[in-house]
Structures are given as C-alpha cells and as structure tokens.
Amino acid sequence: TICPGEIIGISLTIKPFREDPFVKTVFLKMPDESGSAITVTVRGGKTCRNSIEEKESLSFDEIEENAQNYPQNNDIMISWTGDDPNEEGNPENKIFLKKVSTDYVLEGYFENILLFQE
C-alpha cells in the first residue's frame, strides 16, 4: 500500500548478456489525488513498439519529434495509471510515463497494482 503523493522506488534487476545481474532503482512520484489503486507497468523499450498513428500530412518536425520520443530497445519504459478527479470531481483515467535509458538492450514486462492507504 502507498499514500497519494508518495515517492516510491522500483528495483529493477538487469541481467546483461554474459555479465552478472545488477539492480537499478527508479523513483516515481505517485499522483497527489487518485482513486483507490494505481497500476504500474514496467517494460523494456523493445517490447513496447507501437506504431505511430498515420496522419495524412505530417511535417518534418512532427516526424522528427515522433522518432526522438519513440522507445528504443535500450529504454526502460515505466507507466502508471490511476483515477484522477477532474474539475467537476468525476474520476478520469490519467496516464503517467517515465523513460530511463540504459547501455543494454532490454526485454521484459512487469505489471503490478498498488493500493492507496485510506
């Protein structure tokens, strides 16, 4: 269980090819306001390849920006989602994303649900 606004650490074990595994800790700040639970997903950039939406007319700057923000196979992609009340007080699903670059090609996927303390 966690508290809203709390900073949590996620310990990731990375096993490089022909090397000993090591642990890398990534810190995330949870939303200040949220519902009763939040889903945290951690995956290697290689496993989260999503196609860029096709648009009829993309400028060169838009293509370049999409390419720079696209996950690389050496990135750790961490996303967390939770209900965040909007201005009217209605819950709305909000997605947060953090990208951490490494020197290694990464594969893997992990998902967990964290419950907020009441």
Side-chain angles (χ1 to χ4, degrees), residues 26-75:
V26 178
F27 295 95
L28 308 174
K29 183 179 185 306
M30 295 293 101
D32 292 326
E33 296 181 27
S34 189
S36 59
I38 196 163
T39 302
V40 177
T41 305
V42 180
R43 61 180 85 203
K46 183 176 181 181
T47 58
C48 69
R49 295 283 186 205
N50 295 325
S51 60
I52 297 173
E53 287 182 25
E54 290 185 27
K55 296 183 181 176
E56 290 182 20
S57 58
L58 283 176
S59 70
F60 178 76
D61 291 337
E62 289 172 320
I63 293 170
E64 184 179 35
E65 182 180 341
N66 284 335
Q68 289 176 351
N69 293 327
Y70 200 74
Q72 302 299 310
N73 61 2
N74 66 326
D75 292 334

Side-chain angles (χ1 to χ4, degrees), residues 1-3 8 10 28 30 34-42 79-83 109-117:
T1 57
I2 57 174
C3 296
I8 65 168
I10 297 178
L28 308 174
M30 295 293 101
S34 189
S36 59
I38 196 163
T39 302
V40 177
T41 305
V42 180
S79 61
W80 57 106
T81 58
D83 292 335
Y109 175 87
F110 176 79
E111 185 173 280
N112 196 6
I113 297 173
L114 304 175
L115 301 175
F116 283 104
Q117 290 180 350

Side-chain angles (χ1 to χ4, degrees), residues 97-117:
L97 182 67
K98 183 170 187 168
K99 178 169 81 169
V100 180
S101 295
T102 70
D103 295 332
Y104 305 97
V105 174
L106 301 166
E107 292 182 2
Y109 175 87
F110 176 79
E111 185 173 280
N112 196 6
I113 297 173
L114 304 175
L115 301 175
F116 283 104
Q117 290 180 350

Side-chain angles (χ1 to χ4, degrees), residues 2-22:
I2 57 174
C3 296
E6 183 177 1
I7 295 175
I8 65 168
I10 297 178
S11 297
L12 308 170
T13 301
I14 298 175
K15 170 65 177 99
F17 182 67
R18 294 186 179 170
E19 293 181 30
D20 292 331
F22 66 93

